[in-house]
Amino acid sequence: MKILLTIRSLNFGGAERQWVNLAKGLYARDDIELLLCTFYSGGDLYDEVSHLPYVCVDKKGKSDFLFLCRYRKIIKDFKPDVIYAFMPDSNLFSLFASAFLNIPVVFGFRSSAINVTKLPFFSKAYFYAQKYCSKYAKAIVCNSNDAISFYKEYGYFMDRACVVYNGIDTACVKDRDNILKERLNLPKESIIFGIAARMNKVKDYPLFAKAARYLCGKNSNVYFISIGKIDDVILRECLDVLGDFKDRVLFLGAKDNVWYYYSIFDFILSTSYTESFSNSIAEGMACGALPIVSDVGESAVIANFGQDYKFCFNKRDERGLYKCLDSVISLSNDEKIRLSFESKKHIIDRFSISKMVDNTCEVLGKCI
């Protein structure tokens, strides 16, 4: 099977990370001939795929629509059996550039619960153009059932939509690192609750701060860590909520080596009130952290490995979150060790990159 795998750019992002993981996995298969294509050159993740068959359309900017001619030539020269695109502009332009070539185009949707009214002009235009063109896609691959429901509500043609869950690169898992605890001035035996998410309104950081205030007030050995790009307004709100406990919560900002921080998390938190597929929950669990998540998107599916503690609460439900915290803080060390092993195994078994690649190939194969 000849696959043209396309995305706008390789600047760092969750969708881009999944595209790279998929590219590596597809390239490793003997039954796949792969060509990677981006509209813009370079990017934070380019080095990870620079050794793979790759071509750049070299789009000059938003007003450069002549790039469609260059993209069409790439398609005609490579003659793929199927084009698999990620994200709205890649979906649309792949459909336009391959017109009348009789090559199936598969759309990739990587988000849900989008606030369409607040999208910039071009993003909003892509969103509605993609809605009209959705009926021409041979298939639509989403990373959550929540995404399928969201796009259906907006009138997209989703009869040929399916779910392929994200793949987690468990090769990045790090051993528990008490040296990092020392560097952060955390007690060796401290219990760490972590969140890995940018400070965006939908991530509900104020609820995270309330959770920290609640548990720190009950247990002197508990600390909270936030990894993710900081928003000054949201940070000030969190600090106001924390009050006297602000010294027990570390807001560390964005980190390139986030896996090192996962390695010291005893628990991975997600307080989002909208989500599609949360990579951070799965990544934290792959490192042995126990999940506590809001019931949005696929979060409860990712977090559920048959554990007997209360791990899921309704979005924006402060009391529900407190009940989860009370449930996990009472776990014995032996229970935490057992559950940590089961948490890690759940991610490896169900959300591996190889599983994502196999499921993707199955979908693409049916489109030919």
Side-chain angles (χ1 to χ4, degrees):
M1 182 162 54
K2 295 180 72 173
I3 301 172
L4 180 62
L5 187 63
T6 299
I7 197 168
R8 178 181 184 273
S9 72
L10 289 175
N11 292 324
F12 187 80
E16 290 79 2
R17 166 54 61 194
Q18 288 301 307
W19 189 89
V20 167
N21 287 346
L22 179 60
K24 292 177 181 178
L26 289 172
Y27 183 70
R29 288 179 59 131
D30 294 333
D31 58 342
I32 299 295
E33 184 178 348
L34 180 69
L35 179 63
L36 307 180
C37 180
T38 63
F39 294 164
Y40 293 94
S41 61
D44 307 298
L45 300 174
Y46 169 71
D47 288 344
E48 295 194 35
V49 295
S50 60
H51 62 292
L52 306 184
Y54 167 82
V55 64
C56 178
V57 184
D58 197 25
K59 195 172 188 290
K60 306 300 182 185
K62 290 179 180 178
S63 60
D64 176 19
F65 289 100
L66 290 176
F67 89 98
L68 280 170
C69 298
R70 301 190 293 275
Y71 188 25
R72 185 176 178 84
K73 185 176 186 307
I74 289 168
I75 295 170
K76 291 176 74 174
D77 288 347
F78 182 58
K79 299 181 179 65
D81 295 314
V82 62
I83 300 170
Y84 182 21
F86 267 45
M87 314 285 275
D89 47 355
S90 299
N91 293 335
L92 290 169
F93 293 136
S94 294
L95 195 65
F96 299 158
S98 63
F100 307 112
L101 296 180
N102 198 30
I103 298 171
V105 176
V106 175
F107 284 5
F109 291 177
R110 313 303 302 179
S111 58
S112 64
I114 301 165
N115 189 337
V116 179
T117 60
K118 292 189 176 181
L119 289 175
F121 173 78
F122 274 103
S123 297
K124 191 178 293 184
Y126 287 146
F127 182 87
Y128 286 108
Q130 188 177 239
K131 171 185 171 181
Y132 174 78
C133 292
S134 59
K135 57 189 170 184
Y136 299 109
K138 192 68 174 180
I140 296 175
V141 177
C142 301
N143 63 355
S144 71
N145 288 290
D146 188 64
I148 292 179
S149 299
F150 169 77
Y151 286 104
K152 274 184 178 177
E153 288 177 8
Y154 269 90
Y156 275 64
F157 182 81
M158 301 297 287
D159 288 6
R160 292 189 288 270
C162 62
V163 174
V164 174
Y165 288 136
N166 288 359
I168 304 304
D169 188 3
T170 53
C172 293
V173 171
K174 305 297 180 185
D175 292 331
R176 197 153 186 84
D177 188 355
N178 284 317
I179 295 176
L180 179 57
K181 273 191 172 184
E182 290 180 17
R183 289 215 318 264
L184 295 173
N185 294 318
L186 298 172
K188 185 177 179 180
E189 301 303 321
S190 58
I191 300 170
I192 308 298
F193 288 77
I195 187 173
R198 68 191 186 283
M199 277 192 182
N200 182 284
K201 185 176 180 181
V202 300
K203 302 301 182 181
D204 205 351
Y205 258 90
L207 183 58
F208 168 78
K210 290 174 183 177
R213 182 189 62 193
Y214 173 78
L215 205 54
C216 288
K218 299 181 70 174
N219 192 311
S220 61
N221 199 34
V222 166
Y223 291 80
F224 284 71
I225 292 177
S226 160
I227 305 296
K229 186 177 180 181
I230 289 175
D231 177 282
D232 290 336
V233 174
I234 295 175
L235 177 60
R236 283 197 297 271
E237 184 178 355
C238 290
L239 293 176
D240 287 343
V241 169
L242 289 167
D244 293 339
F245 297 111
K246 63 183 65 175
D247 292 339
R248 304 257 297 278
V249 182
L250 307 182
F251 294 98
L252 301 180
K255 297 291 181 182
D256 293 332
N257 54 344
V258 65
W259 288 91
Y260 288 103
Y261 292 87
Y262 287 139
S263 75
I264 64 170
F265 289 2
D266 296 286
F267 300 93
I268 180 78
L269 277 173
S270 177
T271 51
S272 301
Y273 56 79
T274 67
E275 197 71 70
S276 183
F277 185 103
S278 173
N279 289 330
S280 67
I281 296 171
E283 289 167 353
M285 291 175 67
C287 292
L290 305 184
I292 299 172
V293 304
S294 53
D295 190 6
V296 293
E298 300 301 302
S299 296
V301 175
I302 299 167
N304 185 2
F305 59 92
Q307 64 268 54
D308 51 8
Y309 71 82
K310 185 173 176 55
F311 68 91
C312 190
F313 59 95
N314 293 328
K315 62 182 180 181
R316 294 170 167 152
D317 181 5
E318 188 176 332
R319 289 180 179 273
L321 174 53
Y322 294 167
K323 289 179 180 178
C324 291
L325 296 173
D326 288 336
S327 178
V328 298
I329 202 64
S330 62
L331 293 171
S332 68
N333 285 334
D334 286 344
E335 286 177 310
K336 283 193 285 187
I337 290 170
R338 174 181 61 82
L339 290 168
S340 176
F341 174 80
E342 292 175 2
S343 176
K344 183 183 296 188
K345 185 177 184 301
H346 169 68
I347 298 302
I348 293 171
D349 289 348
R350 189 164 184 190
F351 302 107
S352 66
I353 291 177
S354 62
K355 198 170 187 68
M356 174 182 67
V357 172
D358 290 346
N359 291 340
T360 298
C361 287
E362 183 179 352
V363 172
L364 300 183
K366 291 177 179 178
C367 294
I368 297 173

